[in-house]
Amino acid sequence: MSELSVVEGGAEDGTPVPDSDENRRQVLYWRLLARLFDPEEQASLESASVAVVEDIGLPVALLDPAASVDSVVQRHPELAAEFDGLMTPEPDADGERDRAAEVRRAALASKVLLNVFSTGSGTVTAEQLARWQSDAGWLERALGCRPGDLRGGRGGAGRAGAGVSPTGTGVGTPAPDLSRLIPEIGPELGSIEAGLVQRMHLREVLADPALASRLTPSMSLIEQLLRDKNNLSGVALANAKALIRRYVDEVTEVLRTQVEKASVGELDRSVPPKRVFRNLDLNRTIWKNLTNWDPEEERLYVDRLYYRHTSRKTTPQRLIVVVDQSGSMVDSMVNCTILASIFAGLPKVDVHLIAYDTQALDLTPWAHDPFETLLRTQLGGGTDGTVAMALAQPKIAEPRNTVVVWISDFYEWRTDELFESMAAIHRSGAKFIPVGSVTSSGRGSVNPWFREKFKDLGTPVISGHIKKLVHELKTFLT
């Protein structure tokens, strides 16, 4: 173990005085590091950590690797609030560090970090995956996010702030603030979850309704189900479809809310307001009729009723979404399929959906139903955008009223030929939006050659959270 910390100054004779709170915190962090990098239990660290936890009035169950955060909170419900924002602490008003509070935060943070990042090896059961997903949700809460936000799928972006690494255990280091690392933590959580899913005997789990019911839909699980769907049948296939449907419905609800907030056009005052009670503008009606006030009778005589305009300007638009369904673009494929279905439900928006790898598939007939669309995709394979372009170009009937969204990492075989056809769409007057990644975590790579070409063309690649694409589409479609 490293040297124990000491407070500045010391006793009257100059002898340094140990800082007990600082030493307690270091014990907890050294135990965390030992557990993360070495499966062998360090007896001295374990016994010292038990003493620390008991001394500060926390349950020893926090040190039990087999106990989930849920189980600890169920036994000690008063701890639930402490996990919220645990790793994004507010600075003390007086600028002084509350060392006792830091020890308490260190104990709680160690529990969450160890449960999430120490996943062991070997086969994973449905119950173990569900427990990890729950613990990951507590980590997201500790980082100031909603459960599911960072792993991708149902949530939005987390809040950011200043932070340091959790391994900072030296003198003067504050309690862990990981919020600055959120852009890195999110994809890492997704990667861990994907590894756990791969370690499951998923087909056996799906064949057992009791085990399948324990699975919580996530992007990693849906990706695995979509890859394996052609190898499933009977009960296993039915359970797989049910999980995909649940996930699609949850993500659809989140994205629909974002689209509805963003898709409101300007009031169309050329259309007379509907003369119905719910549109009655009571304040304006009273104001305009004040001259008819009879002071003797104390009564207002209304000559005219005024109504609010509710009609909004909408122009028929054609939205063509082209999605790369190769193995590197699964998250984007799922998100954009759902997004296309939402826009397909908007009035006067004509949506066309094309998926491709080395072959292209026109999914327009099912664009309104993301579940059916995803079941018709075939993830994996190479990438040849020219086959998708052959389907997309004939759909551009009125360039000025057309937007083409092309989602890919743009690692193509025929780069020059594909880019020239994309530039031709842009020059025709159609809105061309190249998208490098439309994920819930925001991670994605783009071929640098295409990135520079699109930048020179004046249509820079959108990469990041799906909200960016929602905003771009709102700007054009409303």
Side-chain angles (χ1 to χ4, degrees):
M1 186 183 298
S2 68
E3 296 182 4
L4 295 181
S5 305
V6 295
V7 294
E8 296 182 4
E12 293 182 359
D13 61 358
T15 303
V17 177
D19 181 348
S20 59
D21 285 329
E22 192 71 28
N23 292 340
R24 290 189 183 103
R25 194 171 61 83
Q26 287 193 28
V27 165
L28 294 171
Y29 283 142
W30 277 114
R31 174 188 176 271
L32 170 63
L33 292 174
R35 282 280 188 173
L36 285 173
F37 295 106
D38 187 353
E40 294 295 326
E41 180 180 300
Q42 302 294 322
S44 59
L45 284 174
E46 292 298 325
S47 59
S49 297
V50 169
V52 169
V53 169
E54 289 180 334
D55 193 40
I56 61 177
L58 286 173
V60 178
L62 284 172
L63 302 178
D64 182 3
S68 67
V69 178
D70 266 344
S71 66
V72 174
V73 170
Q74 284 172 3
R75 298 176 191 171
H76 307 275
E78 71 279 1
L79 295 179
E82 292 193 56
F83 281 103
D84 289 327
L86 174 68
M87 297 179 186
T88 57
E90 297 293 335
D92 295 324
D94 56 7
E96 294 293 327
R97 292 172 56 194
D98 186 341
R99 295 176 185 273
E102 287 180 3
V103 177
R104 192 175 181 88
R105 284 200 296 268
L108 297 171
S110 295
K111 176 60 178 174
V112 174
L113 292 171
L114 187 61
N115 278 28
V116 171
F117 290 101
S118 180
T119 58
S121 59
T123 303
V124 174
T125 66
E127 184 176 355
Q128 288 172 322
L129 177 62
R131 171 191 143 167
W132 183 91
Q133 290 173 326
S134 174
D135 287 336
W138 283 104
L139 175 58
E140 289 165 319
R141 288 177 60 171
L143 290 167
C145 305
R146 295 185 302 274
D149 279 0
L150 300 184
R151 284 166 287 158
R154 295 174 288 278
R159 68 187 182 95
V164 295
S165 167
T167 60
T169 57
V171 180
T173 306
D177 180 354
L178 304 184
S179 55
R180 183 176 292 174
L181 302 179
I182 282 177
E184 297 300 325
I185 292 175
E188 187 62 30
L189 290 179
S191 177
I192 294 173
E193 185 174 28
L196 292 172
V197 171
Q198 290 175 358
R199 285 161 52 189
M200 293 180 65
H201 294 308
L202 188 55
R203 295 181 191 176
E204 296 177 13
V205 172
L206 291 171
D208 186 331
L211 293 177
S213 65
R214 298 179 185 176
L215 294 175
T216 300
S218 66
M219 180 58 72
S220 298
L221 181 59
I222 297 309
E223 176 180 347
Q224 196 66 29
L225 293 175
L226 290 174
R227 291 184 186 280
D228 206 32
K229 65 181 185 297
N230 292 332
N231 299 317
L232 301 175
S233 60
V235 174
L237 180 59
N239 286 329
K241 287 183 176 181
L243 286 165
I244 296 172
R245 171 71 77 180
R246 279 176 57 194
Y247 185 79
V248 165
D249 289 345
E250 290 173 4
V251 178
T252 299
E253 189 62 31
V254 173
L255 294 183
R256 181 178 288 113
T257 300
Q258 295 176 7
V259 171
E260 288 174 350
K261 289 180 179 178
S263 301
V264 179
E266 297 179 358
L267 289 174
D268 188 354
R269 300 192 180 278
S270 64
V271 179
K274 290 184 179 180
R275 300 173 68 85
V276 294
F277 180 76
R278 68 173 179 270
N279 290 343
L280 179 64
D281 189 337
L282 188 58
N283 289 335
R284 190 181 181 205
T285 297
I286 293 174
W287 178 258
K288 290 290 187 178
N289 288 280
L290 280 178
T291 55
N292 298 328
W293 171 255
D294 188 328
E296 293 183 0
E297 296 186 14
E298 295 185 350
R299 179 174 299 182
L300 178 66
Y301 291 91
V302 177
D303 290 334
R304 179 182 174 185
L305 297 175
Y306 292 83
Y307 296 86
R308 298 184 186 90
H309 284 80
T310 56
S311 297
R312 298 187 178 272
K313 294 180 180 179
T314 56
T315 304
Q317 307 284 1
R318 173 162 292 188
L319 172 62
I320 302 172
V321 181
V322 183
V323 187
D324 178 352
Q325 67 173 358
S326 62
S328 59
M329 298 296 293
V330 177
D331 199 345
S332 291
M333 179 71 205
V334 173
N335 277 287
C336 287
T337 296
I338 295 171
L339 189 61
S341 72
I342 294 170
F343 277 102
L346 296 179
K348 299 184 180 180
V349 178
D350 180 22
V351 175
H352 295 256
L353 180 62
I354 298 170
Y356 76 97
D357 42 38
T358 55
Q359 295 181 317
L361 181 63
D362 190 345
L363 297 170
T364 301
W366 303 279
H368 65 284
D369 189 338
F371 173 72
E372 291 294 334
T373 300
L374 288 173
L375 291 183
R376 285 169 170 77
T377 60
Q378 185 61 52
L379 303 177
T383 309
D384 185 2
T386 59
V387 296
M389 184 61 74
L391 288 180
Q393 282 180 323
K395 295 177 179 292
I396 306 175
E398 300 180 28
R400 295 293 176 184
N401 283 334
T402 303
V403 58
V404 178
V405 179
W406 197 290
I407 302 102
S408 174
D409 53 14
F410 297 100
Y411 285 95
E412 295 281 345
W413 290 354
R414 292 179 275 189
T415 55
D416 292 312
E417 180 181 347
L418 179 60
F419 177 76
E420 181 52 39
S421 59
M422 291 174 172
I425 291 176
H426 175 69
R427 289 192 295 266
S428 73
K431 175 75 171 179
F432 185 81
I433 305 177
V435 182
S437 65
V438 185
T439 66
S440 302
S441 62
R443 173 182 283 184
S445 63
V446 176
N447 185 335
W449 185 87
F450 268 94
R451 186 183 290 278
E452 289 301 315
K453 285 288 189 178
F454 285 131
K455 184 178 179 181
D456 294 340
L457 188 64
T459 58
V461 175
I462 295 176
S463 288
H465 201 277
I466 194 168
K467 287 183 179 179
K468 290 185 179 181
L469 181 56
V470 172
H471 175 75
E472 286 290 324
L473 292 176
K474 178 269 295 188
T475 302
F476 185 83
L477 295 172
T478 61

